[in-house]
């Protein structure tokens, strides 16, 4: 099935891409690679999920935040691939979790994004990954994720 058919089967809609909030671009293409800027969890109403994982937010809630972030990243991938998600292969994911020092389940949180990529893109969504804890993230968001993708020939 195509990525668009998978999104529909999962009852998921890609969000509109918000304007960058600082001096950067959403993605940078270099040959067949595109480097996507980090994104956080943006709800459909435009608000962001905030809090410290392990204190204010459970890992299960943060998993859903990582999934929300993944939807925004898929929207950026689609834009980078000239509107065709079937041209996208995910290469590398860096997931950052705003967590307490004692929290150790960062990979479980970032699985929200990784699981989404595989559900939508199939084997092209499988990737190398790092999941790390941070003392803080911009605006107090729970997760920030950046991605490197390869753009396949049309």
């Amino acid at each position: 099935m195509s990525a668009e058919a998978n999104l529909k089967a999962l009852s998921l809609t890609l969000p509109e891409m918000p304007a960058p909030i600082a001096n950067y671009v959403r993605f940078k293409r270099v040959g067949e690679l595109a480097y996507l800027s980090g994104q956080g969890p943006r709800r459909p109403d435009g608000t962001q999920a905030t809090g410290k994982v392990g204190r204010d937010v459970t890992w299960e809630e943060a998993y859903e935040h990582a999934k929300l972030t993944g939807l925004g990243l898929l929207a950026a991938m689609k834009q980078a691939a000239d509107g065709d998600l079937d041209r996208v292969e995910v290469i590398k994911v860096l997931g950052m979790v705003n967590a307490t020092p004692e929290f150790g389940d960062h990979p479980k949180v970032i699985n929200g994004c990784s699981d989404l990529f595989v559900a939508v893109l199939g084997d092209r969504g499988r990737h190398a990954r790092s999941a790390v804890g941070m003392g803080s993230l911009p605006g107090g968001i729970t997760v920030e994720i950046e991605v490197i993708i390869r753009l396949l020939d049309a």
Side-chain angles (χ1 to χ4, degrees):
M1 273 184 14
S2 72
E4 294 293 339
N6 288 337
L7 283 167
K8 186 174 181 178
L10 295 166
S11 299
L12 296 172
T13 304
L14 297 182
E16 294 294 320
M17 295 295 303
I21 60 172
N23 189 13
Y24 64 90
V25 294
R26 291 185 190 122
F27 62 87
K28 184 76 169 186
R29 289 176 66 163
V30 180
E32 65 179 6
L33 298 180
Y35 297 80
L36 279 61
S37 293
Q39 289 192 36
R42 185 171 302 281
R43 296 182 185 101
D45 67 3
T47 62
Q48 291 196 305
T50 60
K52 185 77 70 176
V53 181
R55 183 185 70 208
D56 311 313
V57 178
T58 67
W59 78 261
E60 294 93 345
E61 291 168 318
Y63 174 99
E64 294 300 323
H65 298 169
K67 184 176 176 182
L68 274 177
T69 303
L71 282 172
L73 289 162
L74 284 167
M77 289 178 203
K78 184 174 180 176
Q79 189 176 37
D82 300 321
D84 187 359
L85 276 174
D86 292 326
R87 292 187 53 221
V88 171
E89 177 185 15
V90 181
I91 302 298
K92 177 75 163 93
V93 170
L94 170 60
M96 298 162 275
V97 180
N98 182 3
T100 62
E102 302 78 26
F103 184 78
D105 287 329
H106 310 89
K108 286 183 179 180
V109 170
I110 301 305
N111 277 346
C113 182
S114 295
D115 292 347
L116 175 69
F117 288 171
V118 173
V120 173
L121 300 172
D123 283 340
R124 291 178 292 103
R126 297 193 186 283
H127 51 269
R129 185 182 88 181
S130 299
V132 298
M134 299 289 173
S136 67
L137 288 172
I141 57 176
T142 51
V143 298
E144 181 175 351
I145 302 171
E146 64 179 47
V147 180
I148 301 169
I149 61 172
R150 183 167 73 110
L151 300 168
L152 308 172
D153 291 332

